[in-house]
Amino acid sequence: MSLFVDTSVWSLALRRDSPPDVPEVGRLWDALEGGETVCTTGLVLQELLQGFRGPRQEQSIIDLFAGIAMIVPTRSDHIDAAILRNACRRQGIQVGTIDALLAHVCIRHGLLMLTTDRDFGYIAGSTSLRLWRVV
């Protein structure tokens, strides 16, 4: 099964100081070292590049992501993400635009999402989004 890694996990894993001892970060490194398919979107890459400083760090992120499978959302993905967001809102769950798109992309492609963002837990509670959980 392919793994979609959210910005929250990448941010922790790529910190300048040593990455925190977070199970999701360990799972990411295990997946990369084990040759599993790790997927992302341009939005995640953009968020990471916007959050880090300095050309050396920027280039290391670009180099790392050169080997990561990139999913390019289609027009239909954006429409379906809006539908997902509206359905969640009717259930009292507030979902951001980007989170709705990432959740929808994972659902459509059958990806397991690796995240530390609790908002995706709420989305998973009312959709078919699958989240990696510590066992």
Side-chain angles (χ1 to χ4, degrees):
M1 171 179 312
S2 297
L3 192 63
F4 182 94
V5 182
D6 178 46
T7 308
S8 62
V9 177
W10 283 114
S11 293
L12 291 171
L14 298 174
R15 289 171 49 146
R16 276 185 242 177
D17 53 351
S18 62
D21 189 20
V22 176
E24 290 82 1
V25 171
R27 177 67 180 95
L28 169 59
W29 293 129
D30 288 346
L32 291 171
E33 291 168 4
E36 288 182 56
T37 301
V38 175
C39 303
T40 194
T41 66
L43 288 170
V44 171
L45 176 57
Q46 181 178 342
E47 286 180 324
L48 284 171
L49 291 171
Q50 290 172 174
F52 283 92
R53 303 275 185 250
R56 181 177 295 153
Q57 196 168 28
E58 179 179 288
Q59 191 57 53
S60 69
I61 292 169
I62 292 169
D63 292 345
L64 174 62
F65 272 68
I68 305 294
M70 187 70 70
I71 297 172
V72 179
T74 65
R75 179 188 312 257
S76 293
D77 288 326
H78 289 279
I79 292 167
D80 292 340
I83 292 168
L84 180 147
R85 184 177 182 274
N86 292 340
C88 285
R89 189 178 63 218
R90 282 191 294 277
Q91 296 176 28
I93 301 165
Q94 294 300 315
V95 177
T97 300
I98 292 174
D99 289 354
L101 181 61
L102 298 181
H104 168 72
V105 164
C106 287
I107 292 166
R108 182 171 85 97
H109 291 277
L111 305 171
L112 181 65
M113 180 180 270
L114 182 61
T115 185
T116 59
D117 184 336
R118 292 182 190 161
D119 290 344
F120 287 110
Y122 300 125
I123 298 170
S126 26
T127 68
S128 58
L129 175 64
R130 292 177 302 138
L131 302 178
W132 179 83
R133 307 251 189 231
V134 178
V135 216

